[in-house]
Amino acid sequence: VLSSLSLQASEGVTFIGPDTHAIQAMGDKIESKLLAKNAKVNTIPGFDGVVKDADEAVRIAREIGYPVMIKASAGGGGKGMRIAWDDEETREGFRFSSQEAASSFGDDRLLIEKFIDNPRHIEIQVVLSVFFFQILADKHGNALWLNERECSIQRRNQKVVEEAPSTFLDPETRRAMGEQAVALAKAVKYSSAGTVEFLVDSSKNFYFLEMNTRLQVEHPVTECITGLDLVQEMIRIAKGYPLRHKQADIPINGWAVECRVYAEDPYKSFGLPSVGKLSQYQEPLHMPSVRVDSGIQQGSDISIYYDAMISKLITYGSNRAEALKRMEEALDNYVIRGVAHNISLLREVIIHPRFVQGDISTKFLPEVYPDGFKGHKLTDLERRELLATAASLYVAEQLRSQRFLGTPRIPIAKSKRRSWELSVHLGDGIYPVAVSKDGSSFSVEVDGMKLNVTSEWNLASPLLSVTIDGTQRTIQ
């Protein structure tokens, strides 16, 4: 890629993005950490050189103090990373990380850092154009930091849910992180959009993790709260125009949340890839303040040759509660058939009390689900509502089957029948349900409690909008 960019430059072609020097410098974790230190950016304590062998790894780990993080210098996407808590794990981690780094990146160089326990991952978007800070920097020495993104909900060191801004940062910490992100970008003469990632501990001490010299998956949440179109800014910078904004012009308006919708089985290690054809696919674009970035459609094949991400689902609100409520509704209205997907996990995460309170870290998933994700546990009310809906749908389908193009057929049930005694299977249980019909609605008795169910039953749609005792529900 770097040689291709150099060739393009020699032929007078302008690449939309940073130059080869910045990509090469920031793409190497060892070199980028040294550059960060020189730019007075806070870095994680550790060994800044290349670790030669397992014996040296153990010696370095002892000097740093356990636990330590062993990581590939050329790595990314969570590959080539191991946590070691003692000498034996350090030797084992060195072996596996170097092998994975060599096979994934063609580069087996490793570095060792102090492992920051229970951190938050925050990034800063910069335009020069974990927390992640988005930056923008132009070719005239101007640079901006576009606030942070909270990316702490991860599995296997890969992000699952992101939001902007973070519930954790105060204005002073945000400013300090943003200024250090810009200082690093200027040190490497960066121009275009980029992201500087930090780990932040419980005391709000922050440490440089790495810089991504590209537009990241989660950039839409930054666009939502700042009102900037980052792709447009990148194009303008590549053309040579100066930035149109000053740091004081960059706002935090509202809140944005992004969920990464994957073709994965969330019940296996929080998400192992699933392959197949999308027999049904419907994005919730009919809802307000919802954005979906995707590259597939109904009938597309999800194969083993590409990343398992189906789309990015983004919701925006005037505050965090509004953005999360819209995300919950958007996930409920997302239809995916033909492959396993992680929507059930995403929905559980965003409504979990710890997440709602902002009590999160990179350990969120294993701490909340120590035995793995098992799916949603129904409350008694949810169980009764589900049984009532299933019974009403069954009766509606039976009544519908008695007519064909508006003409009565041979009746399956007595035409004057208005009540039914049913047994509904749910999980491992069988539940008695009594249904009676009155006009267009149903009265359903479950566990001695009566529920009124009303809906325009459209049996051809994968989504049903149901009103139960005055509360509307969307059911797939």
Side-chain angles (χ1 to χ4, degrees), residues 333-349:
N333 281 269
Y334 213 132
V335 179
I336 301 174
R337 298 284 190 273
V339 296
H341 55 79
N342 68 331
I343 285 180
S344 58
L345 173 62
L346 295 171
R347 194 184 188 283
E348 287 303 295
V349 167

Side-chain angles (χ1 to χ4, degrees), residues 433-449:
V433 179
V435 182
S436 59
K437 190 174 189 304
D438 183 15
S440 61
S441 63
F442 296 93
S443 177
V444 186
E445 185 172 337
V446 183
D447 296 341
M449 179 178 291

